[in-house]
Amino acid sequence: MAVAEPSPSLFARPLGAVEHNPTALKVILGGKLRELRVAAGLDPSHVDSKLGFSRSKTSRIELGRHGCKPSDAAALLGLYGVDDDVQVTEFMRLLEQSRRPDWWRSYSDVLSDFFAPLVALEGAASTIRTYEPFYVPGLLQTPAYTRAVVQSGPGHLLAHEVHRRVELRQERQRQLDNGDGPRLWALIDESVLMRIVGGERVMRAQLEHLVAMMQRPRVTLQIAPLDVTASVGVGTGLTYLRFAPGDLKDAVYIEHLTDSTFTQKPRIVEQYRDMLDRLGACALTPRHSLETIRERLARL
C-alpha cells in the first residue's frame, strides 16, 4: 500500500526564531493570506463582501497591522481553497502564536511610536546591519553609556523614565544572546570614538565593551574613517534588517531629528543596502578597527 505524501507547507521555509516574534508572524501571515487571495483571483473588496467583513478589513489583515481572529482566518482559508487539514492546522497554530503579547509592549510608556517598528522586528532578523554617525549603536551600548545618551536628549526626563529606557535597550541587546538570534554588523563613524559621552570613565568602559563584543563570532564591527563617511555620504543613522529568505521582506529604519522612516519597499531598501555595502567596503577591516579602538583606549 502506497504511503501518502506529506502535505506541502504553505510557507517557503521553516520560520524558526520568527515564530517567537508575534509582530513578524502577523506580517508573514497577512502576506500569506494576500498571496492566497491573489492566486484565487479575488479582489480585497470582493472578499470583504463575500465574507461580510467591514470595508477594507481584508486589506488590514493582509498588512499585518492588527491580529486576525481564528474565525476570520478559517473563513479566508476556506474561501481561498485551502482545505488540507495539515496546512490549516499549521496556519492556525502560527496564528495563535501571533496573538501573544510582544515583550516590548510592556515598555510602551517609554517607547516612541516611530521607534516601535524597529524594536518589534529586529529580533526576527537573521542579520542586523547598522550605521551610527554620533553614538555607539544601541545594541552595543553599556548601561552607563545609554544613560548618558538618554539624559543628553531633548526634554526633561524623570529618573524612572531614564531607567526604563536604559532597561529597554538592555532587553533589546539580550536578543543577540539567543542561539538563533540575529547577527550584528555595525559600522561606526570614527568621530564616535572621539566623542566623550558620560565622562572618561563611562567612555573607557564603553570602548572596553566594544573590544569584548568584537570577540563574538556573530558580531562584526567596523570603524568608518572621517574621509570615508564624507565621501559615501550616509549622513544619518540607519538600521537594515535582513531576514532569512522566505516570507518576510527586508526592512530599513532611517533616523531623523524627531522621527524616523521604517520601510520595506524594495526600491528604498535596496538603495540603503547599497549604501551600507559601499561604506563597509571603504571602512577599516574588523582587525584594524579593533586596533583603532585599543589605540583610543590607550589615550583615555
Side-chain angles (χ1 to χ4, degrees):
M1 178 173 145
V3 178
E5 291 290 329
S7 301
S9 172
L10 284 173
F11 302 90
R13 55 179 289 277
L15 299 182
V18 176
E19 289 196 27
H20 305 301
N21 188 303
T23 296
L25 278 180
K26 288 184 180 71
V27 175
I28 290 173
L29 294 175
K32 179 54 62 176
L33 288 172
R34 179 184 183 280
E35 181 184 313
L36 292 169
R37 174 183 58 75
V38 171
L42 295 171
D43 184 85
S45 60
H46 294 157
V47 175
D48 290 339
S49 177
K50 284 177 178 291
L51 297 181
F53 287 173
S54 59
R55 184 179 179 183
S56 301
K57 181 174 180 176
T58 298
S59 295
R60 293 196 302 272
I61 290 174
E62 291 179 357
L63 289 172
R65 291 178 179 169
H66 63 79
C68 176
K69 296 179 181 178
S71 58
D72 291 340
L76 289 165
L77 291 175
L79 181 62
Y80 301 153
V82 179
D83 54 9
D84 183 287
D85 289 342
V86 173
Q87 293 180 338
V88 172
T89 299
E90 176 190 36
F91 191 96
M92 300 305 283
R93 178 182 67 80
L94 293 173
L95 179 66
E96 185 62 30
Q97 294 277 80
S98 77
R99 291 166 63 81
R100 294 175 305 153
D102 289 281
W103 69 265
W104 50 269
R105 296 284 184 187
S106 62
Y107 290 95
S108 58
D109 56 322
V110 292
L111 183 59
S112 303
D113 290 341
F114 66 80
F115 191 46
L118 173 65
V119 175
L121 288 176
E122 64 183 355
S126 60
T127 300
I128 299 173
R129 299 178 63 181
T130 184
Y131 166 68
E132 279 291 346
F134 302 116
Y135 299 107
V136 169
L139 293 175
L140 293 173
Q141 291 179 5
T142 64
Y145 186 96
T146 298
R147 188 173 297 107
V149 171
V150 170
Q151 290 175 330
S152 69
H156 175 70
L157 296 176
L158 299 176
H160 81 274
E161 293 176 309
V162 173
H163 175 74
R164 290 280 288 163
R165 293 191 182 200
V166 173
E167 204 175 55
L168 169 60
R169 198 153 299 181
Q170 293 296 297
E171 284 296 327
R172 290 173 57 211
Q173 292 177 10
R174 289 189 181 96
Q175 297 176 109
L176 299 178
D177 297 329
N178 298 332
D180 54 1
R183 294 178 176 273
L184 177 64
W185 179 5
L187 287 155
I188 303 177
D189 191 284
E190 183 182 18
S191 64
V192 171
L193 304 183
M194 312 302 169
R195 193 171 292 115
I196 304 297
V197 174
E200 288 192 358
R201 183 176 179 180
V202 170
M203 195 65 195
R204 169 176 285 279
Q206 176 61 72
L207 295 183
E208 289 172 344
H209 181 65
L210 289 182
V211 170
M213 291 297 292
M214 292 177 75
Q215 311 310 310
R216 293 191 179 193
R218 297 172 64 83
V219 174
T220 300
L221 175 62
Q222 291 180 266
I223 303 299
L226 298 178
D227 58 337
V228 168
T229 52
S231 62
V232 175
V234 177
T236 187
L238 66 97
T239 300
Y240 171 81
L241 302 181
R242 183 172 183 79
F243 299 100
D247 302 284
L248 198 59
K249 294 187 294 185
D250 291 354
V252 67
Y253 170 87
I254 307 137
E255 295 179 354
H256 309 302
L257 182 60
T258 58
D259 60 5
S260 68
T261 299
F262 184 88
T263 181
Q264 291 179 289
K265 294 180 179 179
R267 181 180 59 81
I268 298 176
V269 170
E270 184 177 350
Q271 289 176 342
Y272 281 97
R273 183 178 63 236
D274 177 67
M275 190 174 292
L276 285 171
D277 286 343
R278 290 189 287 118
L279 186 58
C282 298
L284 301 179
T285 65
R287 182 172 66 84
H288 287 136
S289 297
L290 180 59
E291 292 173 358
T292 299
I293 294 173
R294 284 175 169 159
E295 288 171 3
R296 178 59 180 154
L297 260 171
R299 292 197 294 272
L300 276 177

